Amino acid sequence: MSFSNRVTSQSELIHPMDVQMAVFHCADGLLKQLMVTKLSQCQYALPLLVPDPFARQIEFPLWTFRQINKSWKTRNANNETISQIQPIYKAKTPMVSFFRFGSVSSSKSHLMNSLINDKHNTFFHRNCPGSSRTRVLMDGVVEITWFCPSGTNDDKFTDCVAFCNLHGDAGDHEKQLQILTEMASVNVVILPQLQRNDRNTTIIENLYKDSKPLICLFTEDESTMFEMETRKYKIGLKDRNQSDVSEELRGAINDCLSQSFSTFRLEDVSKHSDIRVDEEDDDACRRGREAAQQMMSLLQKKDLTEIKESFLPHQGKLWHQWCQKNKELHRPKADKIEMDISRKQIEMKIIREQQHESDISEFMKLFIKQMNSHDKHEKMFFLNWLRILLDKYTSADLYALYHKYDEKWSLVVQLKENCDYESDHLKAEQTELEKISEEIQAAAFGLEHLIREIGQIYESCSSVKKNKKDLQFDFSSLTSLAAEMMISGFPLELMDGDAAHVPVIWISAVLDQLIQKLGNQRVFVLSVLGIQSSGKSTMLNAMFGLQFAVSASRCTKGAFMQLVKVSDEMKKQLNLDYILAVDTEGLHAPELAGKSTRHHDNEMATFVVGLGNLTLINIFGENPSEMQDILQIVVQAFLRMKKVRLNPSCVFVHQNVSDVTAGEKNMEGRRRLQKTLDEMTKLAAKDEAYDAECFSDVIRFDVHKDVKYFAQLWEGSPPMAPPNPNYCENIEELKKTIMSHASKSHGMMLKDLKDHIKDLSEALLNEQFLFSFRNTLEISAYRKLETEYSKWSWSLCSAMMETENKLHNKIENEAIHEVEETDLHKIKKTSEEVKKIMSDFFEKYTGADILIQWKTSFEIKIKELQENIVRETKRKLNEILQQRELKKKIDDQKTHHENTLYEKSKELALKFKDKTNDEETLKKEFDLFWEQSVKMIIRDTPAIKDTDIMRDAREMLSNIDEGHLSVDHCSEYNDIFSVTSYSEYIIYKQWSKNDIMEAANDPCATVKELSETQIGKLVTDVVQRTDKMIKSFNISKMGYNSSYIKQLIDYIKARVTEHQEGRVKYVLKNEFFRDLVLSICMRANKMITDQHRMFREANDPVIYVEKKREEYYSIFQKYCHGATSAVIFGEIICQKLKEPIEQSVYKKTARDLTDEMRSNCESLNGNRSNLEKHILKTLVEEEDFDKYMNYIHNPRDHFKSFIRDEVSRYITDKFSVSVLPKMKENIELLQQKIMKAAHESTEHVQVNSGEVGLWLKSFTQQLSDELIFSEKVFSGFKHDDVDDFNLLENVIKQELTAITGISSRFSTETFPANLDYKFRPDELLIDHFCQCCWIQCPFCKATCTNTIENHHGDHSAPFHRITGLKGMKYRNTTNLSISICTSAVVSDRPFYPNDSDETVLWREYRTAGGIYANWSITPDLSELPYWKWFVCTFQKDLEKHYTALFEECGRIPDEWKNYSKQKALESLDQYI
């Protein structure tokens, strides 16, 4: 391609103004307005009259000007500066119109630019970059701009002046020319050399004759300016200096304006006929205006400072009172804290009721009606119109108040500079300043206040749970209005700037509605922090096209949030759906003078920094003192986030820096900033009691990448200065940095954002943020992690159970004689699967950035769990190996008896082979033989006796301590698990008699409290260990031996002795040891008895031989009838398989059921916390006080009991639909395995020409890991004559069907009865759920919910209890305590820890050391209905149980009695 073809000709270029006008023509009214508003901000000319390119009709886009305000300063006769700010559509100013006739050589637009601002192209002209000769859409367009003076001597015009520019030949656009010349104060026309017969001559002559000033510029004339007649000027342009021409023209215009009194008002253009006004032509715009005007009519003749009180009553005094009460609630000062909290909650409820009773004003009713009655497009026009009209209504008064405030503020600053701090004059001026500030607050009235009112209407209805009488629809739909506004791009108030409070109920409901409309989208929260008027809002608006208030009279108050949708293209890079921009009021805001404190700034900074994934720290200029003030506040906020494990990022933005290109200067600035940050970190660390030496200890921060220097916003001095191009470049660079941070962040789901806002606002209400912050996202993520961990650990345990069962069978079959590590590593496949699932969970879970902190620890936990499972399984299998040798004699004897009976019955059968028809004789002879044989067995083998565990325990106890505990004495004992106090077992050391009496009578004595805790822990530890010991005895296989009780007693004795030799201040009486032993034995009695019964049934010759009588008779009959050896041997094999099959099916069904319950049973399908929730629900439903006491004092036992009940109920309820089918399925699977083994054994024998011994060996080996079934069970049994293996296989197949009919004998009673304890589903689940933390809160006995025993970190519980539930009383009284840990820990009340008489403040409870230091009790002042309901329901029972009363300081607040059983149940879902 040639060079000439590649170069685009000038005529082919698209004119930039054609692009602008093409977009303008294609845009709807809202986009047009946005375009024009942005053009105005950039100091570009705006379309005033726009011809339709097709219909040639002229449009006046008045609507597009409605959001534009202009400010300027003038001087009066006394040389005083007068400031003005007005909506441009109603400003009355002179107007100078420019137009040309014919084709002229000079650029009219260029000339106008030199008049207005010679450094900026206000009007695009032919010499601008990108311009082209041809244009399509600009001819006939009239553009307008305004010159706004700054009140200085350099002003080119002394007043605000409008300049209009008609593009194209004026002669071709008569209507536009007519409108301009009629409305102009001065007409300026550019003319070529006209001929007399030129069609434009008449127009020029008419203009000349008109009284209005006229300035004619001749392109072919070289003359300087001269006045032809009064206010008629002629200026030549040819070959003249542009600057000289501009100066002459400016002088002429000023001269004309000084003598002209005509003014131009933008709105008046619409009065001209034959033009189309966009506001009238667009139905949606017109209806929106009418609706807004209807609302505004209600405000006529109202005092601005009283409007909010009259029209917006819900956000007035009552709302502010409620906020104040809420702060007081979170900062209790009274001694009777629960009574004080209850009283505050009642007061807050009353305020809400009063708020609810307030009428909705007609103004608000109309607003809500309009919001509900319009479509989306029309609603946008309505909201914009309302905002415009409200601004118009309030701007004048607000501007005057701000002007008054500035003057007063300056005076106060001046007085302070004079160090006149104590003078009455200063105090009076400060009071006046405060009064003006309140007037400003009262007069501010915008769209945000209407939404705030809707929010408070919603909150009042939500609090009292009923609709307002004057609300025509359900209040819940109010949130939809706010959500739709947010989606449409309107900011939503996040923190009420007047009340300095986050309306959590409202914000949460709006976010819920957003989730409903958009889905649970992922957002990146970008917040900005800085001093007031430092350009924060402008920066956000410029970066994302937002609508945060930026004008001087509309500074942000509180905090607002606005959604920014991420494009589909960017979504792929960022993995985000929206950016949520949060704009805030400035730190050190002058509006808060007199009441603003550092505390307020710290709260705002903490909230904003805590909320944002990234916070922009905006610093204006390079003032070191201002920078130091804000940096100390910011650093403290980031330090707080570090301590509560939030990890936001930050970027510092230095705005208004004079020379952003000076590299060395910027490096010095960065060094200085780093130094200041490090100094502020040390100061903040001292305040927050944290070890940090530099800012990088607090947050990941790169001073080279995370510090941005911004050019000045304006290029020159406002109000005529255009935006600085460098500022725009800086904005773009900052945006890239933000996107880089966003791409590395996981952001936050909207649902999580809702919880996070609540957490931050709740924590800020308390005086100690760090202590009070409850990270719901972290708690939720950790609960999810614990639930998953429960699944992972169960997968490993379940896999190991399968392996253990197979190895157990092999051990019993003597197939292995040693347990190798490799045998146990068969769970490796499951382990790898669990690791993969874990890895995916940590990477893909929505809170992955939160979970990452626990990833390593949980990987270690899973590894340790696996090692522990392997180690424990090996230990148990080794015990079985040892026990196998011990019970070998029993097994061999049992086998010998069985096989001897077989052989003798076979011999007997041979005698009666000829009498097979005489069944009666055969039966008689067999019975005689059987009775004689059994007598011989009983003679040689003594029967196994029943057990009496309690008798054995009492006898052994009576032999201890030289008979101090006689048998009679031991017959009476107290169940140690039911006692309310251990005081009866204690003798205190080194105390006088009076001291002992006082300690016994004062249940709140600190030594007694400590002793109760220590003894309780001893009992718990002993119970855990003895449970394991009893299981290790394997009584079902080994039988009971009284030596087991001796081992238990010896262990308990050793532990009690060891305990007393420790650091305790008491001696335990002998009765404690006795009661502990007997209580443990009684507790284990049923389990030991049941296991011994199973052993007896399996091994007592009378029982097990009698059970096989029918089987032996069947074989006897077959022998008599001449059955072949193969048939007899097949039946014997099946008879021998019967018991192993039954046990295998029972165990496999038990494991399958356990897996199913882990999935399908609501109480058992989650983690420990979920199980506890169901326990608490069951307790409510049953209303059994004794069960409650067991749960409070013996939580582990109660959990076990509950699991057993749940399993029993599940098996009963699901028996026919789940349990029985599972059993049948397992029987079929086992049948298939047995038949497969028989068939393969037959093939093996036939291939190898073997005999029956080889067949039996192959058959038993193949089943050795499925069944306890080996060759040894046939020892002594003669089967050498079996040679028909196909027949043997068929017999087994037939007989197997008969013997596997055990499902018909299977029932809810026989299932557990025929299972060893350790294989039962309830015991498997108890092992799974109860290997966790059981440490109880030292105050209220709430149990730590961590699923890992001996876990790292603090103990915690989702919600605590009333301390009186564990018997805690107020010191030196018999009044039960009504304190709740989570509310007490925010108070300054003292308690008496451990055995010291020294007090510790509740809010500093950790300093008490010991167990107190290891508990994390987060303040929570919410209702906690569950335990309040319990106390009220069981008050009398509790008083009787603890022999104390809920009276005086322990009186139950009346409010507690309003909680219903249903409310108690519902609250569990909220807290767990």
Side-chain angles (χ1 to χ4, degrees), residues 365-381:
K365 284 181 188 176
L366 194 54
F367 178 70
I368 295 169
K369 180 185 175 185
Q370 300 293 357
M371 288 293 289
N372 281 319
S373 59
H374 297 296
D375 63 32
K376 183 180 177 181
H377 192 60
E378 200 169 306
K379 195 182 298 180
M380 291 293 290
F381 275 109

Side-chain angles (χ1 to χ4, degrees), residues 240-288:
R240 296 200 57 202
N241 181 287
Q242 177 79 41
S243 177
D244 293 342
V245 172
S246 297
E247 199 61 40
E248 288 178 3
L249 180 56
R250 189 180 299 114
I253 292 172
N254 274 322
D255 186 47
C256 293
L257 291 178
S258 66
Q259 301 175 48
S260 172
F261 298 100
S262 68
T263 55
F264 162 81
R265 198 167 69 112
L266 199 64
E267 281 185 321
D268 292 342
V269 176
S270 62
K271 295 176 183 178
H272 287 268
S273 60
D274 299 330
I275 64 169
R276 189 178 77 217
V277 181
D278 59 351
E279 291 179 1
E280 304 300 330
D281 196 54
D282 188 325
D283 290 339
C285 181
R286 180 172 46 76
R287 283 196 293 268

